[in-house]
Amino acid sequence: MPKRDLDQIDGRIVAELQSDGRLSNVDLADRIGLSPSPCLRRVKRLEREGYIEGYRAALRRNSVGLRFTAFVGVKIDGHANERALVFEKAVVAMAEVVACHLVSGEADYFLEVVVPDIDDYQRFLVGKLLNLPMVREVRSNIAIQTLKAGSPLPLAHLE
């Protein structure tokens, strides 16, 4: 189903839900100035059409023992579509990879990898990532401090 543009009310709904995904429908409707029934219909449509991918709890990494973050640039051999698809499928299945981007520049892909410590990162790097036959080069950048992460998307353009 083709996506349509969000109207101003839809924009307010997604902004409120990004801010607090646990809002009840009644509270959400009150915040955006709709009655609960049309508000719920809009939320269900936004979910069905793929604007809202899901709801989840945002965890503090250090609190759950994930104290090590690396940003990894990966170059793969050749750029045949089959090799890239195999790489993408393998990386998406790795729990340690919390983000994967196809990029332009020095690297082909840019990964965000989260693990408990440097020893776990070494095991991930040697035991998983470098075991993929199409991986030609890996460059790791270690996060020293995280100043901002997991922020809501900027939706000012929807207003």
Side-chain angles (χ1 to χ4, degrees):
M1 174 181 296
K3 295 205 173 165
R4 64 181 187 151
D5 292 335
L6 299 178
D7 66 19
Q8 196 170 30
I9 294 172
D10 292 335
R12 289 172 46 209
I13 289 172
V14 295
E16 289 292 339
L17 289 175
Q18 268 198 131
S19 182
D20 183 357
R22 295 181 67 169
L23 276 176
S24 71
N25 183 58
V26 171
D27 289 338
L28 177 61
D30 187 50
R31 287 189 187 186
I32 62 168
L34 280 180
S35 61
S37 292
C39 180
L40 184 59
R41 280 194 300 274
R42 282 178 175 260
V43 170
K44 293 299 182 190
R45 180 184 48 77
L46 292 166
E47 292 170 348
R48 187 176 57 254
E49 292 179 2
Y51 290 101
I52 298 172
E53 290 182 327
Y55 302 90
R56 66 171 197 234
L59 303 177
R60 182 166 284 128
R61 292 175 183 186
N62 284 348
S63 297
V64 294
L66 297 170
R67 293 179 171 82
F68 189 90
T69 300
F71 298 95
V72 184
V74 180
K75 287 185 185 182
I76 62 171
D77 275 331
H79 289 89
N81 197 38
E82 314 82 53
R83 294 178 74 73
L85 291 174
V86 169
F87 173 81
E88 291 170 7
K89 185 176 180 181
V91 167
V92 166
M94 296 175 183
E96 300 90 345
V97 177
V98 298
C100 175
H101 305 274
L102 174 64
V103 297
S104 65
E106 278 190 38
D108 298 315
Y109 293 89
F110 202 65
L111 313 178
E112 182 177 0
V113 177
V114 178
V115 292
D117 57 37
I118 189 116
D119 293 329
D120 288 289
Y121 181 66
Q122 180 183 1
R123 282 189 285 279
F124 165 80
L125 185 63
V126 175
K128 290 186 177 182
L129 192 58
L130 291 174
N131 267 343
L132 296 175
M134 71 290 294
V135 171
R136 182 177 67 192
E137 185 179 321
V138 171
R139 292 188 185 235
S140 300
N141 297 280
I142 308 307
I144 303 301
Q145 180 183 18
T146 300
L147 303 175
K148 183 178 181 181
S151 297
L153 296 176
L155 299 176
H157 66 287
L158 297 177
E159 295 173 357

